[in-house]
């Protein structure tokens, strides 16, 4: 258990290329479950590998508590790692796999056996010690990998897309399981995923990354409700972002001319700096846009482009005066189809100004 701090950490692989990780500042609190979330190639794995010690930063510093570990070898850092492909030894038993890190730390005999049993119990695999790895399901194999990481009682637990090889249902079960185990062990954990639903469900806090940089850090709800910029708004939950002319502004709101010219008020972060003549980026989530009849009071007229039934809701793409808008509707007007004219309502309480 320890606080992990990254101070302006960068990694440049090729002398001429862009940094894979660019001046990242992060503080992961003691005992926290912290997620690096972003699209493929945004620098998540590289960041995690620098925390583990598999890469050294090109610049910047990494601290575990007050220890500067920036250039410390991986085996000196007391980190437990869990990977997407489990990286288990197929020819060893479950117990031998879990005990691997103990052998290299010279923990042997009854003490080793006790620690292995305890770790297997932690991941709900008590009694599986003598099984062969290929006798286990994917989810069980990933729990063995977790036990192997935890058995050394690491100061930090680092997990790189550990659920990616599991099918959807098992992924949801296993993420709950990982979170339970992490809570019980209260090990400071850094979790890497490109899956925003997974990040939302599991994390105490999330850092959203893009192009090697951190775009926003916050609790899931904060990032969802108050995305800092266009990237975060559209990456998390597919927000609509409308460019609208500012007609007035206050410290925590702006008034914008809506697509039909009617003024809309949107909440805005303090210090937004937007005034008349500026253009504001106003985000609104698909599930917050309301569909009505075309002639309903206060509704904007739009044309249905396509509808997609997803089970829980129907995803409706509409054209709003030339601007595409995504709507997630739990209940649809009966018989709605492409080309129909509908009304859309953008509820002011759900309008939020984001930075470019
Ligand atoms: P993510 O895990 O978010 O998908 P990575 O950290 O793996 O992203 O990669 C970030 C960027 O760094 C990518 O552009 C990738 O191609 C590059 N990269 C990663 N590892 C290496 C490496 N060992 N050598 C050169 N480039 C790398
Ligand atoms: Mg990766």
């Amino acid at each position: 258990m320890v606080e992990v701090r990254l101070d302006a950490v960068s990694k440049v692989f090729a002398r001429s290329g862009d940094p894979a990780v660019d001046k990242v500042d992060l503080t992961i609190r003691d005992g926290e479950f912290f997620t690096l979330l972003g699209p493929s190639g945004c620098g998540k794995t590289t960041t995690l590998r620098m925390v583990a010690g598999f890469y050294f930063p090109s610049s910047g510093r990494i601290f575990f508590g007050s220890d500067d570990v920036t250039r410390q070898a991986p085996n000196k850092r007391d980190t437990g790692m869990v990977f997407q492909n489990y990286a288990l030894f197929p020819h060893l038993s479950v117990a031998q796999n879990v005990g691997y890190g103990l052998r290299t730390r010279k923990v042997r005999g009854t003490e080793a056996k006790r620690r292995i049993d305890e770790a297997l119990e932690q991941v709900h695999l008590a009694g599986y010690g003598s099984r062969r790895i290929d006798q286990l399901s994917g989810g069980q194999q990933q729990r063995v990998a977790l036990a192997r990481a935890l058995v050394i009682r690491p100061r930090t637990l680092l997990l790189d897309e550990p659920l990616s090889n599991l099918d959807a249902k098992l992924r949801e079960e296993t993420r709950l399981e990982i979170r339970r185990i992490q809570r019980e062990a209260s090990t400071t954990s850094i979790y890497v995923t490109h899956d925003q639903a997974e990040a939302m469900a599991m994390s105490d806090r999330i850092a959203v990354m893009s192009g090697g940089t951190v775009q926003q850090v916050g609790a899931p709800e904060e990032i969802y409700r108050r995305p800092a910029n266009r990237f975060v708004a559209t990456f998390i939950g597919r927000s609509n972002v409308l460019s609208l002319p500012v007609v007035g502004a206050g410290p925590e709101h702006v008034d914008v001319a809506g697509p039909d010219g009617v003024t809309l008020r949107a909440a805005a972060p303090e210090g937004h700096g937007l005034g008349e003549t500026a253009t504001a980026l106003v985000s609104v989530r698909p599930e917050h846009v309301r569909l009505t009849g075309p002639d309903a009071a206060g509704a904007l007229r739009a044309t249905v482009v396509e509808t997609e039934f997803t089970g829980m809701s129907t995803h409706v793409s509409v054209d709003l005066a030339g601007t595409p808008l995504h709507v997630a509707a739990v209940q649809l007007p009966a018989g709605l189809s492409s080309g129909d004219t509908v009304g859309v309502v953008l509820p002011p309480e759900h309008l939020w100004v984001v930075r470019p």
Side-chain angles (χ1 to χ4, degrees), residues 12-344:
V12 183
F13 285 110
R15 199 171 293 237
S16 53
D18 290 333
V21 173
D22 196 4
K23 297 193 195 70
V24 163
D25 292 312
L26 288 173
T27 301
I28 295 113
R29 298 170 191 148
D30 191 352
E32 189 172 37
F33 194 97
F34 190 93
T35 296
L36 304 176
L37 170 67
S40 177
C42 73
K44 306 180 296 292
T45 293
T46 304
T47 304
L48 199 71
R49 291 180 74 91
M50 289 191 282
V51 175
F54 299 138
Y55 296 150
F56 290 150
S58 307
S59 60
R61 312 221 65 85
I62 300 175
F63 298 89
F64 285 6
S66 55
D67 299 344
D68 184 337
V69 300
T70 311
R71 305 198 79 76
Q72 199 175 51
N75 60 354
K76 297 272 188 281
R77 295 190 189 194
D78 272 343
T79 55
M81 284 284 298
V82 181
F83 304 92
Q84 175 176 346
N85 60 7
Y86 319 142
L88 297 170
F89 304 110
H91 56 285
L92 299 182
S93 70
V94 167
Q96 286 169 326
N97 267 280
V98 173
Y100 184 77
L102 294 177
R103 278 203 298 285
T104 60
R105 282 169 176 76
K106 307 214 172 357
V107 181
R108 295 180 207 279
T110 50
E111 168 67 2
K113 180 166 180 336
R114 201 181 56 74
R115 296 264 295 263
I116 291 166
D117 287 347
E118 187 184 283
L120 285 175
E121 212 158 281
Q122 247 181 322
V123 302
H124 290 178
L125 284 177
Y128 281 72
S130 57
R131 297 272 188 109
R132 287 209 324 263
I133 294 299
D134 60 9
Q135 294 174 313
L136 303 182
S137 69
Q140 289 171 331
Q141 290 186 28
Q142 196 51 296
R143 272 147 58 201
V144 173
L146 202 55
R148 182 182 57 182
L150 289 170
V151 77
I152 62 165
R153 297 183 183 144
R155 287 202 287 177
T156 60
L157 182 62
L158 309 178
L159 307 104
D160 194 350
E161 313 244 8
L163 304 181
S164 299
N165 285 353
L166 305 180
D167 63 47
K169 186 159 180 294
L170 197 54
R171 211 154 53 218
E172 284 192 18
E173 288 168 14
T174 311
R175 80 186 187 202
L176 289 173
E177 194 60 356
I178 290 181
R179 205 46 237 271
R180 173 190 66 76
I181 294 161
Q182 189 272 342
R183 274 211 185 90
E184 286 173 11
S186 58
T187 309
T188 307
S189 300
I190 309 179
Y191 187 92
V192 161
T193 183
H194 66 275
D195 181 331
Q196 47 133 335
E198 205 170 286
M200 289 283 167
M202 296 180 79
S203 314
D204 292 319
R205 287 190 307 149
I206 298 170
V208 182
M209 293 184 70
S210 167
T213 64
V214 172
Q215 303 290 311
Q216 186 173 7
V217 178
E221 197 181 318
E222 195 178 329
I223 284 183
Y224 189 81
R225 286 164 45 85
R226 294 289 182 246
N229 58 32
R230 184 199 281 269
F231 177 82
V232 176
T234 52
F235 186 73
I236 311 276
R238 251 176 129 178
S239 243
N240 298 290
V241 178
L242 308 171
S243 287
L244 299 169
V246 176
V247 296
E252 291 184 57
H253 76 267
V254 297
D255 293 321
V256 291
D260 61 348
V262 175
T263 300
L264 298 168
R265 177 159 292 189
E270 268 182 77
H272 58 76
L274 294 165
E276 276 179 61
T277 75
T279 300
L281 295 177
V282 177
S283 69
V284 58
R285 301 230 165 252
E287 64 272 28
H288 291 148
V289 180
R290 281 208 314 279
L291 286 185
T292 66
D295 300 317
L300 307 164
R301 278 172 164 251
T303 309
V304 176
V305 177
E306 64 183 358
T307 63
E308 183 190 35
F309 181 64
T310 68
M312 219 150 38
S313 63
T314 300
H315 194 97
V316 186
S317 308
V318 302
D319 180 294
L320 178 63
T323 304
L325 195 72
H326 300 293
V327 186
V330 177
Q331 280 197 314
L332 267 197
L336 192 77
S337 58
S338 305
D340 289 355
T341 302
V342 287
V344 299

